[in-house]
Amino acid sequence: MRLYDGGRAPNPRRVRIFLAEKGMQVPVEHIDLASLQHKSAEFTALNPLQRVPVLVLDDGTVITESIAICRYFEGLRPEPLLFGRGATEEALVEMWNRRVELNLYQAVSAVFRHLHPAMKDMESQVPEWGEACRKHALARMSWLDGELARRPYVAGDRFTIADITALVGIDWGRVTKTRIPPECTNLLRWHELVSGRPSARA
Amino acid sequence: MRLYDGGRAPNPRRVRIFLAEKGMQVPVEHIDLASLQHKSAEFTALNPLQRVPVLVLDDGTVITESIAICRYFEGLRPEPLLFGRGATEEALVEMWNRRVELNLYQAVSAVFRHLHPAMKDMESQVPEWGEACRKHALARMSWLDGELARRPYVAGDRFTIADITALVGIDWGRVTKTRIPPECTNLLRWHELVSGRPSARA
């Protein structure tokens, strides 16, 4: 198989952290987003949505979407479990991954897309929406801070895919100065905990 | 268990279609969104994010997020399979569900939230972003139309959760007149096919 990575972009990092947690190594081809390689005809043939990461299996099957790629690796190597096991646990991990992705990660993403100068030529920016999303992102950090008063990790007592999504989303916020508010002591404690894992350097 | 439903809202419909496909029945409590029952103290205690649907298990476990609830039901009753089975198939269904949700469903949702008068008092509307999302939604219908030229269902030869997400998203577009363009003949053929299933009336 071959993983088409995108360097410092957040979604490829989700997959790299996941692989590091699994202790897996996969042949990687680097896609240079700065030179718009993801918009080339060759890459568009792999993913018409022109986004990284992309995983191509040996039989030619193409898997896009970070979480789908992670789920494939979970199927290949279940331990350590990062999506949970059994109906209830799998549902709760899905719930927490979605809660942090749809509420926090996507808000941070929108701040970047709608306010960062690097995205000016690539997207139809709506700065008013970017500013609203910055408020949403900070409000959701406060909400997550309250949740993390009750347990060590986002979805419970163990590190899961939901922690990876939250970590990558929060670190992405640095680019637009959308940072964890200092009063969010539980979230800061969690951030230090998960940032200390070797996988966080991926 | 008890399912807190929200009537005509799109996310509860995803769960109802899923249950109908599984041939499952669950005790339902109706949450009246029009009278803001989802913002009541009682409901907020169940889901601090104040959104339907919510599933409460007999031991008190609370599962929110439509797809997490559907995944729980898939675990209870695997057949008919709606999330796939095995590493590759599960990854491909996840990929397609995410592709249609993050690109099409969310664009239709943003049109509603940012342009519909019913949402005026509830959300900070940014009409410019709503208009951009209407263009995105239509562009993504065209993209999905091209995909559906090659297979009967969104993720392949079988009906899956990705079809449910796409159907509910597209039907939701009617409220804001964000309709399938007439030249999207494959998408229209697919829409007629999935709308003809008994579950679509859920």
Side-chain angles (χ1 to χ4, degrees):
Chain A
M1 67 180 100
R2 181 170 297 269
L3 178 65
Y4 293 80
D5 195 335
R8 291 173 63 199
N11 278 316
R13 187 178 174 220
R14 289 209 276 179
V15 174
R16 288 199 306 273
I17 293 177
F18 194 91
L19 285 169
E21 289 285 339
K22 292 283 182 184
M24 293 173 83
Q25 288 189 319
V26 170
V28 168
E29 181 158 334
H30 183 73
I31 298 297
D32 184 26
L33 303 183
S35 69
L36 301 184
Q37 198 185 347
H38 57 300
K39 307 221 181 230
S40 67
E42 197 183 347
F43 189 78
T44 303
L46 282 181
N47 185 4
L49 296 173
Q50 301 181 321
R51 289 180 202 142
V52 284
V54 170
L55 181 69
V56 181
L57 306 186
D58 291 341
D59 68 359
T61 300
V62 175
I63 304 173
T64 71
E65 300 295 327
S66 311
I67 296 298
I69 293 171
C70 290
R71 204 176 275 286
Y72 177 73
F73 291 135
E74 180 96 344
L76 288 195
R77 187 175 296 188
E79 300 297 337
L81 274 179
L82 294 172
F83 281 95
R85 182 173 289 162
T88 307
E89 198 188 6
E90 284 177 50
L92 290 173
V93 172
E94 173 84 74
M95 172 181 92
W96 280 107
N97 188 56
R98 285 188 159 255
R99 279 181 153 184
V100 294
E101 179 165 337
L102 304 181
N103 293 284
L104 175 55
Y105 189 99
Q106 288 196 345
V108 170
S109 165
V111 177
F112 179 71
R113 290 179 192 282
H114 290 283
L115 292 175
H116 198 279
M119 300 303 283
K120 207 167 177 180
D121 296 334
M122 292 188 225
E123 308 245 346
S124 49
Q125 288 194 319
V126 182
E128 187 186 354
W129 178 233
E131 293 295 353
C133 286
R134 194 195 297 276
K135 279 182 204 157
H136 295 163
L138 294 172
R140 281 138 188 192
M141 287 183 193
S142 286
W143 157 75
L144 189 55
D145 178 69
E147 293 290 336
L148 287 167
R150 299 197 282 271
R151 55 186 183 274
Y153 296 102
V154 171
D157 291 333
R158 280 195 298 163
F159 183 89
T160 67
I161 185 73
D163 294 287
I164 297 176
T165 297
L167 175 66
V168 174
I170 284 172
D171 286 351
W172 193 9
R174 286 180 194 155
V175 182
T176 55
K177 298 189 172 63
T178 310
R179 293 198 175 89
I180 301 175
E183 65 273 21
C184 292
T185 53
N186 302 299
L187 186 56
L188 286 164
R189 183 263 308 150
W190 164 88
H191 186 260
E192 194 177 329
L193 178 70
V194 294
S195 298
R197 298 172 78 93
S199 66
R201 291 193 293 273
Chain B
M1 68 180 99
R2 183 171 296 270
L3 179 66
Y4 292 80
D5 195 337
R8 290 174 64 200
N11 279 316
R13 186 178 175 221
R14 288 209 276 179
V15 173
R16 287 198 306 274
I17 293 177
F18 194 91
L19 285 169
E21 289 286 340
K22 292 281 182 187
M24 294 174 81
Q25 287 188 320
V26 169
V28 167
E29 181 158 332
H30 183 72
I31 298 297
D32 184 25
L33 303 182
S35 70
L36 302 185
Q37 197 185 345
H38 56 301
K39 307 225 180 226
S40 68
E42 197 183 344
F43 189 78
T44 303
L46 282 182
N47 185 5
L49 296 173
Q50 302 180 322
R51 290 182 199 140
V52 284
V54 171
L55 181 70
V56 181
L57 307 187
D58 291 342
D59 68 359
T61 300
V62 175
I63 305 174
T64 70
E65 301 295 327
S66 312
I67 296 297
I69 293 171
C70 291
R71 205 175 275 287
Y72 177 74
F73 292 134
E74 179 96 345
L76 288 195
R77 187 176 294 189
E79 300 296 337
L81 274 179
L82 294 172
F83 281 95
R85 182 174 287 163
T88 307
E89 198 188 8
E90 284 177 49
L92 290 173
V93 173
E94 173 83 75
M95 172 181 93
W96 280 107
N97 189 57
R98 286 189 157 256
R99 279 181 154 183
V100 293
E101 179 166 337
L102 304 181
N103 292 285
L104 175 55
Y105 190 98
Q106 289 195 346
V108 171
S109 166
V111 177
F112 179 71
R113 290 179 191 282
H114 291 283
L115 291 176
H116 198 278
M119 299 302 282
K120 207 168 178 179
D121 297 332
M122 293 188 226
E123 309 245 347
S124 49
Q125 288 194 319
V126 181
E128 187 187 353
W129 178 233
E131 292 296 353
C133 286
R134 193 195 297 275
K135 279 182 204 157
H136 295 162
L138 295 172
R140 282 138 188 191
M141 287 181 192
S142 285
W143 158 75
L144 189 55
D145 179 68
E147 293 290 336
L148 287 166
R150 298 197 284 269
R151 54 187 184 275
Y153 296 102
V154 171
D157 291 332
R158 281 195 298 164
F159 182 90
T160 68
I161 185 73
D163 294 288
I164 297 176
T165 297
L167 175 66
V168 174
I170 283 172
D171 285 351
W172 193 9
R174 286 180 196 154
V175 182
T176 56
K177 299 188 170 64
T178 311
R179 293 198 174 89
I180 301 176
E183 65 272 22
C184 292
T185 52
N186 303 299
L187 187 57
L188 286 163
R189 183 264 310 150
W190 165 88
H191 186 262
E192 194 177 328
L193 178 70
V194 294
S195 298
R197 298 172 80 91
S199 66
R201 292 192 293 272

